[in-house]
Amino acid sequence: MNFKTLHYIAFSLLFILIGFNVNGQGTIKGILMDSVENEPMLGAEIRINDMEDNFVTGSTTDFMEGKYEISISAGTYQFSCSYMGYAPIKKNITIKNGETLELNINMSEEVNVLKIVTKTASRFEQPVGKSSISIDVVKPDLVDNTNATKVDEVVDKVPGVTVVDGQANIRGGSGFSYGAGSRVLLLVDDLPLLTGDAGQPNWRDIPVENISQIEVVKGAASALYGSSALNGIINIRTAYAKNKPVTKISLFQTSFLTPKRPETAWWDRDYVLVNDRDELNPQSNDTIQPAYLTGRDGYRMPLEMGVQFAHRRKIGKFDLTLGGNYFYSDSYRMGTYERKYRFNSNMRYRFSTKVNVGVNFNFNYGQSASFFIWANEMPYLYINGNPLFGDTVMTEIYVPYNNSITESNILRVNVDPYFTAYDNKEGRHRFQTRYYHVNNQNGQNQSNLSHLAYGEYQYQKKIKITSPVFGDLKLVAGAVGVYTYAEAQLFGNANYSIANAAGYLQLEQGLIKPKGSDNTKLNITFGVRVEYNMIESPDSVLVDPAAGAGLILNPEPLSQEAKPVFRVGLNYEATPFTFIRASWGQGYRYPTIAERYITTLIGEGVASLAIRANPSLQSETGWSAEIGVKQGFKIGNWKGFADLSGFWTEYQNMMEFTFGGGVPQNTGLGNIFFQSVNIDDTRIRGFEFSLMGSGNIGKVDFNVLTGYTFIAPEFQNWDNDTIIRQLSSTDYNILKYRNVHTFKLDIEAFFLKKSLSVGFSFNYISSMENIDKAFEDIIYDFEGDDDLFGLGYYRQNFNSGEFLNMSARIGYRHSFKNKDGNEIAAVKLSLVGKNLLNQEYMIRPALVDAPANITVRLDVEF
């Protein structure tokens, strides 16, 4: 190698080194924080583009302190950061060689309600406007302001959702089921909370004092969540600890007014007729044994009261949430009561930015009494031509049918350990488990005990795609196993087990990406789930609970079944405030132990009602389709969205509790019984309009939530199935226990810098046109043709299920601040009035709901 060559190489290396020096490296680092809560933004996305809006590099904040650090060549760039539910921030920056530029950024929540964050519909966090299926979000303020002691009282305010005797149904997807089976899956922090043997929700178990938000998915979601999500999902997301410790204590008392017909108020009489028509003074403390409890033969003035607390704090890497509740009720339904104690805790420990473990715990214990059917509502009863009770008109709508009250001692405990880890490829691994113990020691030979074990592994990953057309691919995959062991008097004093195993996969792909943006206009979702179910039961089972009835041969002691279900959906962002969606999803629901094997009696003697087992009950399948548009708006100071959707749902082999004894004759009641049966193939079509918004008129701020739902629920084989027509109370085609029209409105106004709040609720539900004909035609075993329970008479002369429920509330909140102007404590006093028109109405036949009532509530927060 000659000198000239060496000289050339040396100068080349020098120019390269100079080039590196000119275009050297710099560092950008900082912390992203919530501007109000002063909380770190964990997992926020950082993006750096060049000045022509081309992507250069990016990162995410860590999962411990919201920190980020990026090395980049010296130059001028566009810096942006984003976090779901928060307004994005964008600015130009210049970084010099060797410089460390520190950018600490405070982010504020997005005021656009279309960007409220949800995760239930897709398991990934996404703005509500981007969902391919209808989803509504309820914030915790509505829970507190309406003094909801159970979550179902708040869910019932969501357009399209109705709760019938504790069973939720969405857009008419369910009718009336007596404490067994649910087509709406109840989740708490993404974990199912339905009893293993009966598949029913226990709303009193949910910590209303510690709710972050409630998400309601409308439509079949079995592809992601399994059997019980055939009609939709209600997911309660609880609140976690933040940097500032929070303690809240609430006390309330509810008093009931005299009903619209004063003669129905048994608590205002000198005596009441119960059981064998004995006279009983409802005010006599001698009838209450022990003195502090109301029993089946002890009665007091209707009253409810309670206390609840919540405490959330961080202790280093440890997050702690505690909550508790005591609820006391002497009901307006004579002889029924509740004394419930609940305690819950959420604990999480963060080992690092990528690994955390936790355990949630819930304990609920108490005593209660309830009844299934009222005594009666009818005119004079005659025997041998003479009035049975003289000139007394029977108006015992709040009084139980003879010997039909069931007293219970309940114990429910769930323990939910979980583990979450993020790998080096930005994948999330989550393993969550649950042990759920239910022990109901009931009277009337109706006790049941069950143990449920649940385990789920889930993997999530957002696959980055660098393309001018394709956005990121979101993947969710998982495996689930559930096992329940049950033994119960309710199931014929036998032992049963039920198991479920499933695997699922969902993909969401974004398309049509504008230049310089990660946002995609079109998002397509595909999901599949394969599910296996099994019930193991005795070779011989009790079907008829009547005295002398024996065991019969079980047609399928080991029942096994496996099915796949699919879903597809799309969401197109036509404008920044217009989202068009369409979805189609299959549903599948396997019968619960209770639906197949429950067998018990309500009441005593020849007039008792039987609930019979049905060992031949088959699973039901179906599908749900929807097309809708969500339109955001801004009119002056008002912001919100309007949503219009049309839906179509079909079920095959639909399961419902019905009178299985045929049309009763004048031969007594021996052939009348309830039973869960596959009624028929059904179809439900309809549309829904909802509006959610906020704004102000002058200095008064408003929040509005309203919606109207219309459904056309039909039997597919009405013309060809005479049994269906014989068992229906109508002579035209409409499913039983549905309300065609529902309208709901909740509006709240804030005065005096939001210290004073005034709210108003308005719920209208149209008549329940079709019920079991036997409910109206049960014949009293005396001369004449009087209805035993008076239900037909009541529906014809008083109320057939239609009602208009108006409620109002007012609250004043006073805050205490330190010398720096920061709030350190607050006190709020509220007055809540429900059913202010004092309507006499029933959600389901033979069980009338509460008369007008007033609640006083005190909240203390520090």
Side-chain angles (χ1 to χ4, degrees):
M1 183 180 294
N2 57 32
F3 178 78
K4 288 184 66 177
T5 302
L6 289 172
H7 184 76
Y8 176 78
I9 293 174
F11 270 93
S12 297
L13 290 172
L14 179 61
F15 278 112
I16 291 173
L17 290 173
I18 292 173
F20 273 125
N21 188 48
V22 172
N23 298 296
Q25 295 286 309
T27 301
I28 307 171
K29 68 176 185 178
I31 302 176
L32 268 60
M33 302 290 288
D34 182 299
S35 61
V36 176
E37 299 289 346
N38 198 32
E39 291 287 315
M41 312 296 292
L42 311 181
E45 187 171 357
I46 309 295
R47 182 184 177 94
I48 297 179
N49 289 2
D50 62 24
M51 297 308 292
E52 295 181 356
D53 219 15
N54 298 308
F55 177 75
V56 177
T57 186
S59 181
T60 57
T61 58
D62 66 37
F63 288 86
M64 185 72 71
E65 299 175 299
K67 293 182 178 180
Y68 70 94
E69 185 170 327
I70 301 173
S71 296
I72 192 171
S73 299
T76 300
Y77 301 95
Q78 294 179 356
F79 174 94
S80 63
C81 56
S82 59
Y83 192 83
M84 193 74 69
Y86 284 72
I89 292 177
K90 195 171 186 178
K91 59 174 65 179
N92 294 337
I93 61 169
T94 299
I95 184 75
K96 299 178 181 177
N97 175 34
E99 180 185 12
T100 297
L101 179 62
E102 187 167 342
L103 288 177
N104 297 323
I105 296 175
N106 292 324
M107 302 186 71
S108 301
E109 286 195 38
E110 177 67 64
V111 294
N112 182 0
V113 293
L114 287 171
K115 294 188 177 181
I116 293 175
V117 180
T118 71
K119 65 181 294 186
T120 307
S122 66
R123 300 256 189 172
F124 267 99
E125 289 192 340
Q126 65 178 181
V128 67
K130 287 282 191 178
S131 176
S132 63
I133 192 170
S134 283
I135 183 167
D136 286 332
V137 177
V138 178
K139 291 297 185 179
D141 288 348
L142 191 59
V143 180
D144 292 342
N145 294 346
T146 58
N147 190 52
T149 62
K150 296 188 297 181
V151 171
D152 59 328
E153 298 173 17
V154 179
V155 169
D156 202 44
K157 295 182 178 296
V158 175
V161 180
T162 306
V163 181
V164 180
D165 199 15
Q167 293 280 355
N169 81 76
I170 297 175
R171 294 172 172 173
S174 300
F176 161 58
S177 177
Y178 181 51
S182 176
R183 293 188 187 91
V184 177
L185 180 60
L186 176 65
L187 301 173
V188 177
D189 291 329
D190 303 325
L191 274 173
L193 194 65
L194 298 177
T195 57
D197 56 354
Q200 65 173 333
N202 287 305
W203 301 100
R204 191 74 66 192
D205 289 353
I206 300 170
V208 292
E209 70 279 355
N210 189 44
I211 290 177
S212 172
Q213 68 182 29
I214 302 170
E215 301 174 8
V216 180
V217 175
K218 303 173 182 178
S222 294
L224 262 185
Y225 291 96
S227 179
S228 295
L230 181 62
N231 184 219
I233 300 168
I234 298 172
N235 189 8
I236 289 88
R237 298 174 64 179
T238 59
Y240 268 97
K242 298 184 177 181
N243 282 339
K244 179 184 176 182
V246 173
T247 301
K248 186 173 181 178
I249 300 173
S250 304
L251 302 95
F252 74 92
Q253 177 179 313
T254 300
S255 299
F256 295 86
L257 280 63
T258 300
K260 193 170 186 177
R261 290 190 293 161
E263 63 269 23
T264 66
W266 53 266
W267 56 88
D268 284 339
R269 304 176 192 168
D270 293 331
Y271 67 92
V272 290
L273 301 176
V274 295
N275 297 334
D276 296 325
R277 306 297 172 183
D278 297 330
E279 293 186 2
L280 177 68
N281 181 354
Q283 307 303 325
S284 172
N285 287 331
D286 295 337
T287 66
I288 302 169
Q289 299 295 332
Y292 65 91
L293 290 179
T294 330
R296 186 172 59 206
D297 295 327
Y299 308 95
R300 287 178 172 170
M301 291 286 289
L303 176 72
E304 290 182 357
M305 57 186 176
V307 58
Q308 63 189 36
F309 79 93
H311 177 73
R312 299 187 292 270
R313 69 182 306 119
K314 286 186 175 182
I315 307 170
K317 297 181 179 180
F318 181 66
D319 300 341
L320 176 64
T321 299
L322 300 173
N325 170 278
Y326 172 67
F327 180 75
Y328 176 105
S329 168
D330 282 323
S331 177
Y332 53 89
R333 294 173 182 148
M334 189 171 71
T336 69
Y337 63 89
E338 283 189 84
R339 312 283 189 268
K340 297 290 179 63
Y341 308 81
R342 178 178 47 74
F343 174 78
N344 63 276
S345 68
N346 294 358
M347 294 174 283
R348 179 175 63 181
Y349 185 79
R350 291 165 283 128
F351 286 99
S352 68
T353 60
K354 294 186 176 182
V355 178
N356 66 76
V357 298
V359 59
N360 299 339
F361 171 80
N362 194 42
F363 172 90
N364 195 335
Y365 172 77
Q367 301 87 35
S368 65
S370 62
F371 64 77
F372 170 71
I373 194 167
W374 65 18
N376 47 48
E377 167 62 62
M378 58 187 124
Y380 304 128
L381 283 178
Y382 292 91
I383 182 170
N384 297 326
N386 298 312
L388 182 61
F389 300 112
D391 294 332
T392 302
V393 178
M394 306 305 296
T395 54
E396 308 292 19
I397 60 174
Y398 295 117
V399 177
Y401 179 58
N402 288 354
N403 299 299
S404 67
I405 284 184
T406 299
E407 293 185 282
S408 303
N409 287 300
I410 66 101
L411 173 64
R412 294 192 293 267
V413 179
N414 63 273
V415 183
D416 311 333
Y418 64 88
F419 168 83
T420 306
Y422 295 83
D423 59 33
N424 293 328
K425 296 182 179 180
E426 298 187 12
R428 193 191 81 157
H429 305 263
R430 184 173 177 86
F431 184 66
Q432 48 191 4
T433 61
R434 162 165 289 164
Y435 169 69
Y436 190 17
H437 170 84
V438 177
N439 188 356
N440 295 319
Q441 295 298 317
N442 301 334
Q444 305 288 331
N445 293 314
Q446 295 176 4
S447 296
N448 64 298
L449 170 69
S450 67
H451 305 268
L452 179 148
Y454 178 97
E456 179 180 4
Y457 166 75
Q458 184 185 110
Y459 175 73
Q460 288 188 9
K461 184 174 176 61
K462 184 187 291 186
I463 302 172
K464 298 287 186 180
I465 298 178
T466 304
S467 165
V469 177
F470 292 92
D472 297 337
L473 174 65
K474 298 177 181 178
L475 178 150
V476 181
V480 179
V482 189
Y483 176 80
T484 299
Y485 170 80
E487 53 184 87
Q489 294 174 328
L490 273 173
F491 310 145
N493 287 307
N495 301 335
Y496 299 83
S497 61
I498 184 169
N500 169 276
Y504 60 88
L505 170 70
Q506 178 165 289
L507 302 171
E508 182 175 318
Q509 177 65 65
L511 297 168
I512 312 176
K513 185 166 60 174
K515 182 180 178 181
S517 173
D518 284 335
N519 181 50
T520 52
K521 294 289 188 180
L522 178 65
N523 291 283
I524 301 174
T525 303
F526 170 80
V528 59
R529 183 186 185 100
V530 179
E531 186 158 315
Y532 163 82
N533 287 285
M534 178 274 292
I535 291 181
E536 187 173 4
S537 53
D539 293 333
S540 298
V541 294
L542 180 66
V543 170
D544 190 346
L551 301 179
I552 69 166
L553 189 66
N554 189 349
E556 200 173 9
L558 180 61
S559 171
Q560 301 181 80
E561 188 174 86
K563 287 185 183 294
V565 289
F566 300 88
R567 69 165 294 206
V568 292
L570 62 87
N571 183 290
Y572 179 68
E573 184 180 344
T575 75
F577 294 97
T578 306
F579 297 86
I580 302 170
R581 67 182 183 276
S583 65
W584 178 86
Q586 288 181 302
Y588 164 56
R589 191 169 77 85
Y590 194 69
T592 64
I593 296 173
E595 285 174 301
R596 271 195 178 174
Y597 297 107
I598 186 172
T599 175
T600 188
L601 288 174
I602 298 170
E604 293 181 356
V606 296
S608 60
L609 291 177
I611 297 179
R612 292 185 185 176
N614 184 2
S616 299
L617 188 67
Q618 300 299 306
S619 62
E620 62 183 2
T621 58
W623 56 266
S624 178
E626 180 192 37
I627 184 168
V629 58
K630 194 178 291 286
Q631 177 63 56
F633 64 84
K634 181 179 180 182
I635 305 174
N637 294 317
W638 287 81
K639 297 179 181 179
F641 67 79
D643 189 286
L644 178 64
S645 61
F647 50 88
W648 187 312
T649 300
E650 293 195 3
Y651 296 107
Q652 290 76 47
N653 275 339
M654 190 177 201
M655 291 183 284
E656 281 197 351
F657 269 92
T658 188
F659 273 105
V663 180
Q665 305 297 324
N666 291 335
T667 57
L669 297 174
N671 64 332
I672 300 302
F673 59 90
F674 261 126
Q675 188 178 49
S676 185
V677 298
N678 298 107
I679 56 170
D680 191 18
D681 297 343
T682 60
R683 178 188 303 115
I684 304 165
R685 294 169 291 184
F687 68 88
E688 182 173 283
F689 174 78
S690 62
L691 179 72
M692 178 179 179
S694 60
N696 66 277
I697 299 176
K699 295 183 179 181
V700 181
D701 295 322
F702 290 88
N703 290 333
V704 178
L705 172 64
T706 186
Y708 166 75
T709 306
F710 167 82
I711 61 172
E714 300 173 330
F715 295 98
Q716 294 190 38
N717 301 312
W718 173 264
D719 294 332
N720 301 318
D721 197 326
T722 56
I723 294 178
I724 290 176
R725 297 200 301 272
Q726 286 178 347
L727 294 177
S728 298
S729 65
T730 62
D731 57 3
Y732 54 92
N733 187 5
I734 184 171
L735 293 181
K736 291 179 288 187
Y737 305 109
R738 266 73 168 188
N739 308 91
V740 172
H741 306 277
T742 61
F743 174 75
K744 301 183 179 185
L745 168 69
D746 189 272
I747 183 169
E748 191 158 27
F750 299 90
F751 305 84
L752 304 177
K753 297 181 179 180
K754 294 194 173 183
S755 295
L756 177 66
S757 61
V758 178
F760 172 80
S761 292
F762 178 101
N763 279 18
Y764 169 77
I765 293 183
S766 65
S767 172
M768 187 174 286
E769 300 176 34
N770 189 10
I771 66 172
D772 283 301
K773 185 175 177 60
F775 247 149
E776 293 188 346
D777 288 349
I778 295 176
I779 307 304
Y780 197 81
D781 200 17
F782 288 117
E783 294 180 1
D785 58 356
D786 296 292
D787 182 350
L788 172 63
F789 300 117
L791 189 56
Y793 173 79
Y794 184 85
R795 281 170 54 83
Q796 183 177 357
N797 292 277
F798 292 99
N799 187 284
S800 59
E802 181 180 29
F803 68 90
L804 175 64
N805 194 334
M806 294 177 60
S807 303
R809 57 192 184 267
I810 184 171
Y812 181 78
R813 186 178 188 272
H814 179 74
S815 61
F816 301 88
K817 299 180 179 180
N818 59 20
K819 61 181 180 180
D820 297 324
N822 299 318
E823 183 178 293
I824 57 174
V827 176
K828 182 178 180 180
L829 183 64
S830 305
L831 191 66
V832 182
K834 298 180 181 179
N835 190 14
L836 294 180
L837 296 179
N838 208 11
Q839 293 284 296
E840 185 178 292
Y841 69 97
M842 53 186 180
I843 299 293
R844 67 97 165 153
L847 199 70
V848 176
D849 284 80
N853 55 92
I854 304 294
T855 299
V856 179
R857 174 174 171 135
L858 177 67
D859 294 288
V860 180
E861 185 175 341
F862 53 92

